[in-house]
Amino acid sequence: MLASLKGVSQVILIENAWTGFIIVIALATVHVKLGVIALLSAIIGTLVGYLGGADKSAVHQGLFGFNAVLTGLGLSVFLTANLATILGAAALGTLCTAAFMHLFKRTNIPVLTFPYTVVTWLFLLASYHLNALRLDPGLIPQDLAHWHMNTAGEIDLASGLLNGIDQVYFQTGFLSGILILLGIFWASWRLGLLAVMGTAIAWPTAYLMGAEITNLNLGIFGYNAVLTMMAVSSVFHTRERPALLVGLLAAVSTVPVTAGLNTWFQAYGMPTLTLPFVIVTWIFLGARQVLPKL
Amino acid sequence: MLASLKGVSQVILIENAWTGFIIVIALATVHVKLGVIALLSAIIGTLVGYLGGADKSAVHQGLFGFNAVLTGLGLSVFLTANLATILGAAALGTLCTAAFMHLFKRTNIPVLTFPYTVVTWLFLLASYHLNALRLDPGLIPQDLAHWHMNTAGEIDLASGLLNGIDQVYFQTGFLSGILILLGIFWASWRLGLLAVMGTAIAWPTAYLMGAEITNLNLGIFGYNAVLTMMAVSSVFHTRERPALLVGLLAAVSTVPVTAGLNTWFQAYGMPTLTLPFVIVTWIFLGARQVLPKL
Amino acid sequence: MLASLKGVSQVILIENAWTGFIIVIALATVHVKLGVIALLSAIIGTLVGYLGGADKSAVHQGLFGFNAVLTGLGLSVFLTANLATILGAAALGTLCTAAFMHLFKRTNIPVLTFPYTVVTWLFLLASYHLNALRLDPGLIPQDLAHWHMNTAGEIDLASGLLNGIDQVYFQTGFLSGILILLGIFWASWRLGLLAVMGTAIAWPTAYLMGAEITNLNLGIFGYNAVLTMMAVSSVFHTRERPALLVGLLAAVSTVPVTAGLNTWFQAYGMPTLTLPFVIVTWIFLGARQVLPKL
């Protein structure tokens, strides 16, 4: 159970059962179902790791839980499907995590949330051929040839910044955002500050590059920057002092990467999920192995 | 020559020249050309391995043949092109197999049929820019935004199950299906049973998830499950007893994965080929390295 | 500075500062801006390598420069963006190169120009969501379902062959093509001959396979063949004598691969860049590790 709650907190790169608990509550404030799904998915992931005979310490750190949590949440948010399908997908997401752990073993690079993105896209796309899966009608494939940016709208800075953190768990509500931020600060004030810096640097970067206001307000450019900032400057940094400058550059890089991937995926009506975070963080962590001063 | 026939049988994860011979006959019953292409492609692949100076035992096991066979068959089925192009593609498929063998050397994970899918898609897509390649007019790119499932049709269970095996070699005929199944049983009754279990579990899974009847009847959800069942529970399982339960779960997983990939590829009018088998089998075999009880 | 000029020449697989200088001049003859961007990008890449603490000899060979140069040029050619964005992308391209160097360390396979293609596509696609990036209006997404080859046009063999070399640096002018070729011959008459052979084999291959005349004249099928010919037969060949036959086969293979990738990318209106070269060269170099006689 502790491992499962840690699985919930590992989504945001934190190993802390209390943080996981706070986040489950945060999700439940939006919709009780989401809190339950997050917890059940984390339990499924942890069970797969445990029953599969994985290294115990990895299971206890919640490393088999976070991709399951995100897969479960992703399917619940974007799909109407029965619980068995959702938890089955969460289990598959866990196996996929294990497979990538094996593949990345020698690289000194973490798997991050890539397995969850792969499994989630496959299930969302499967809805076009399986009647039992009903895709959120908002996910409409866009014709790129006739796409025009809609830059209208009124800026809501506070929402944009908070949603940048909230969106890590697919949310955009005020209360859930505050609770998630609280959960991060509970685990470590340093990581909390880094999360705030992530959303605080992404917003003006996206604004200056001419992002659509609706995307700014929804925090679309924020959550990947938040995760990247935390990962690059601290969580996967071996030295004591956080690599602030490099982390900020990485967070800034997520903005064009997010925009580019959004274009690619919108042709399928698919959400980009955390792929920008995964790609930019892999680039910076991989580069650090060759450029040790980074 | 024996190595080439084994190359034909390795498509279905079997090293047995007689099985290869039976399958060549099975293909020839559909169209003599297909049997000839399969054999010629296997010979090309084996020759590339032999002349290239590959490890002799790998060549003799037919490991340089099966991706060549599938590439040759895939191009013959979906493309009108001259023999030199088809055999050239088969040779490129073999080189691609060798490259992936090198890349995967340390991972303890088999290359499977991924090289063939890559080379086949490239040649099929190339038909849009090279007049000498004529794409099967049935492969029409589909606009996802206006896609609607067509669930009409009458279920034909027997065809659906047999086609699930037949489709491994792109076929849907009764005689070829029976012969291919016979070839598998000839090599090993255990693998034969696993193949039957694969198609037998995929069909109801796809049905319960609301798959289109036409796809069910064509065995679209079957062949990847068959290959996955054989690979995960027995062929790449180190223990004596087959891992039945895990194999069945893997076979079930191929259903949503197949549906998801079909959606992705239909935007290009491309067939998914054996990619669902490759992805799910990689996930399960990779996970097994981290979860040894799987 | 020498390392930066070598970075410019490494684009075409050559380590020679004079060649780099000649190519900067060649680009400047087309547009002064292009020469400046190429040089600045090379300097950025070299600086990232140097300040990041990379292996000094790799920095001096220009290995941190060439992906930066191509990223800078690619963005300048296909995008209207301010200098900071272009050089930022060049820096990100360098980090991406470093990350792939780490990933490929044990494989004995070179990174080539893959990092540049990834970063360039992301920035080009990002233009759909970021107003500060303006995509070249010629890059229109094409609907594959209604695509028809336009085979009309008059063949211009001389232009087609020269552009096949010129296009490595995105150019199609006579003077720049001659200068670039001169730069290659300056470094090594052997590599010069191989470059000529690359474009000379790709053109008739593409012609015989029924390529569109406009593509033939623009050298679309040439530049990937040129790079592949040089890479496979000589630059990454350990023996003294160039592997001419294998190099020619690899160069021929780039033609269908280029056509296939063009189809895939045109749905997004994206250029294929040097991806065909990367894929075919990886296949042949990887295969050579398993097939030593290749």
Side-chain angles (χ1 to χ4, degrees), chain A residues 47-186:
Chain A
L47 272 181
V48 168
Y50 184 77
L51 295 175
D55 173 58
K56 286 253 165 77
S57 74
V59 176
H60 287 159
Q61 287 170 51
L63 293 181
F64 288 93
F66 67 100
N67 274 298
V69 168
L70 283 170
T71 307
L73 285 175
L75 263 64
S76 307
V77 169
F78 296 119
L79 211 60
T80 309
N82 63 35
L83 191 63
T85 304
I86 290 175
L87 296 184
L92 191 60
T94 309
L95 293 177
C96 195
T97 307
F100 272 98
M101 278 178 180
H102 169 62
L103 214 64
F104 279 34
K105 207 169 44 187
R106 269 178 256 264
T107 64
N108 215 6
I109 289 177
V111 170
L112 305 176
T113 51
F114 188 62
Y116 130 74
T117 62
V118 172
V119 172
T120 302
W121 289 319
L122 286 173
F123 273 80
L124 296 188
L125 288 171
S127 65
Y128 284 86
H129 284 292
L130 297 173
N131 243 326
L133 310 174
R134 295 279 178 185
L135 196 63
D136 174 351
L139 295 178
I140 305 164
Q142 305 286 341
D143 181 357
L144 218 56
H146 302 102
W147 168 259
H148 290 292
M149 246 190 276
N150 181 0
T151 49
E154 209 170 319
I155 289 179
D156 180 350
L157 182 59
S159 293
L161 291 177
L162 190 59
N163 284 339
I165 290 166
D166 216 6
Q167 285 273 14
V168 173
Y169 291 88
F170 307 99
Q171 303 311 318
T172 52
F174 177 75
L175 185 57
S176 55
I178 290 290
L179 280 172
I180 291 169
L181 190 56
L182 204 80
I184 303 174
F185 270 103
W186 174 274

Side-chain angles (χ1 to χ4, degrees), chain B residues 65-79:
Chain B
F66 66 100
N67 273 299
V69 168
L70 283 170
T71 307
L73 285 176
L75 263 64
S76 307
V77 169
F78 296 119
L79 211 60

Side-chain angles (χ1 to χ4, degrees), chain B residues 125-139:
Chain B
L125 287 171
S127 66
Y128 284 86
H129 284 292
L130 297 173
N131 243 326
L133 310 174
R134 295 279 178 185
L135 196 63
D136 174 351
L139 295 178

Side-chain angles (χ1 to χ4, degrees), chain B residues 52 102 125 128-129 131-132 268, chain C residues 107 209-210 212 263 266 291 293:
Chain B
H102 169 62
L125 287 171
Y128 284 86
H129 284 292
N131 243 326
Y268 291 93
Chain C
T107 64
M209 291 189 87
E212 291 134 293
T263 305
Q266 78 185 23
L291 306 169
K293 291 189 188 161

Side-chain angles (χ1 to χ4, degrees), chain A residues 48-55 64 85 92 94-96 98-103 105-106 118-119 121-123 125-133 140-142 264 267-269, chain B residues 106-109 144-145 147 149 151 206 208-212 215 221 253 255-257 259-268 279 282-284 286-287 289-294:
Chain A
V48 168
Y50 184 77
L51 295 175
D55 173 58
F64 288 93
T85 304
L92 191 60
T94 309
L95 293 177
C96 195
F100 272 98
M101 278 178 180
H102 169 62
L103 214 64
K105 207 169 44 187
R106 269 178 256 264
V118 172
V119 172
W121 289 319
L122 286 173
F123 273 80
L125 288 171
S127 65
Y128 284 86
H129 284 292
L130 297 173
N131 243 326
L133 310 174
I140 305 164
Q142 305 286 341
W264 186 25
Y268 290 93
Chain B
R106 269 177 257 264
T107 63
N108 215 7
I109 289 177
L144 218 55
W147 168 259
M149 246 191 277
T151 49
L208 288 174
M209 291 189 87
E212 292 134 294
N215 282 344
F221 291 100
S253 303
V255 171
V257 171
L261 291 172
N262 279 348
T263 305
W264 187 24
F265 280 73
Q266 78 185 23
Y268 291 93
I279 289 181
W282 278 352
I283 288 178
F284 275 79
Q289 302 282 330
V290 171
L291 306 169
K293 292 189 188 160
L294 214 64

Side-chain angles (χ1 to χ4, degrees), chain A residues 92 95, chain B residues 13 110 112 191 194 224-254 276-288 294:
Chain A
L92 191 60
L95 293 177
Chain B
L13 304 159
L112 304 177
L191 287 178
L194 291 174
N224 283 293
V226 166
L227 290 168
T228 303
M229 183 78 203
M230 293 168 73
V232 171
S233 66
S234 175
V235 179
F236 300 108
H237 190 48
T238 47
R239 267 162 280 171
E240 178 58 24
R241 277 189 60 197
L244 273 192
L245 183 64
V246 175
L248 285 171
L249 288 174
V252 165
S253 303
T254 61
F277 151 62
V278 170
I279 289 181
V280 173
T281 302
W282 278 352
I283 288 178
F284 275 79
L285 295 185
R288 195 177 268 160
L294 214 64

Side-chain angles (χ1 to χ4, degrees), chain C residues 56-266:
Chain C
K56 287 254 166 75
S57 75
V59 176
H60 287 159
Q61 287 170 51
L63 293 181
F64 288 92
F66 67 101
N67 273 299
V69 168
L70 283 170
T71 307
L73 285 176
L75 263 64
S76 307
V77 170
F78 296 119
L79 211 60
T80 309
N82 63 34
L83 191 63
T85 305
I86 290 175
L87 296 184
L92 191 60
T94 309
L95 293 177
C96 195
T97 307
F100 272 98
M101 278 179 180
H102 169 62
L103 213 64
F104 279 34
K105 206 169 44 188
R106 268 178 258 264
T107 64
N108 214 6
I109 288 177
V111 170
L112 304 176
T113 51
F114 188 62
Y116 130 74
T117 62
V118 172
V119 172
T120 302
W121 289 319
L122 287 173
F123 273 79
L124 296 188
L125 288 171
S127 65
Y128 284 87
H129 284 292
L130 297 173
N131 243 326
L133 310 174
R134 295 278 178 185
L135 196 63
D136 174 351
L139 296 178
I140 305 164
Q142 305 286 340
D143 181 356
L144 219 55
H146 301 102
W147 168 259
H148 290 292
M149 246 191 276
N150 180 0
T151 49
E154 209 170 319
I155 289 179
D156 180 350
L157 182 59
S159 292
L161 291 177
L162 190 59
N163 284 339
I165 290 166
D166 216 6
Q167 285 272 14
V168 173
Y169 291 89
F170 306 99
Q171 303 311 318
T172 52
F174 177 75
L175 185 56
S176 55
I178 289 290
L179 280 172
I180 291 169
L181 191 55
L182 204 81
I184 304 174
F185 271 103
W186 174 274
S188 149
W189 60 266
R190 178 191 277 175
L191 287 178
L193 285 180
L194 290 174
V196 171
M197 286 171 74
T199 191
I201 189 80
W203 198 96
T205 306
Y207 177 76
L208 287 175
M209 291 189 87
E212 291 134 293
I213 307 294
T214 42
N215 282 343
L216 284 173
N217 290 348
L218 284 169
I220 293 296
F221 291 100
Y223 67 101
N224 283 294
V226 166
L227 290 168
T228 304
M229 182 78 204
M230 293 168 73
V232 171
S233 66
S234 174
V235 178
F236 300 108
H237 190 47
T238 46
R239 267 162 280 172
E240 178 58 24
R241 277 189 59 197
L244 272 192
L245 183 64
V246 175
L248 285 171
L249 288 174
V252 165
S253 303
T254 61
V255 171
V257 171
T258 299
L261 291 172
N262 279 347
T263 305
W264 186 25
F265 280 73
Q266 78 185 23

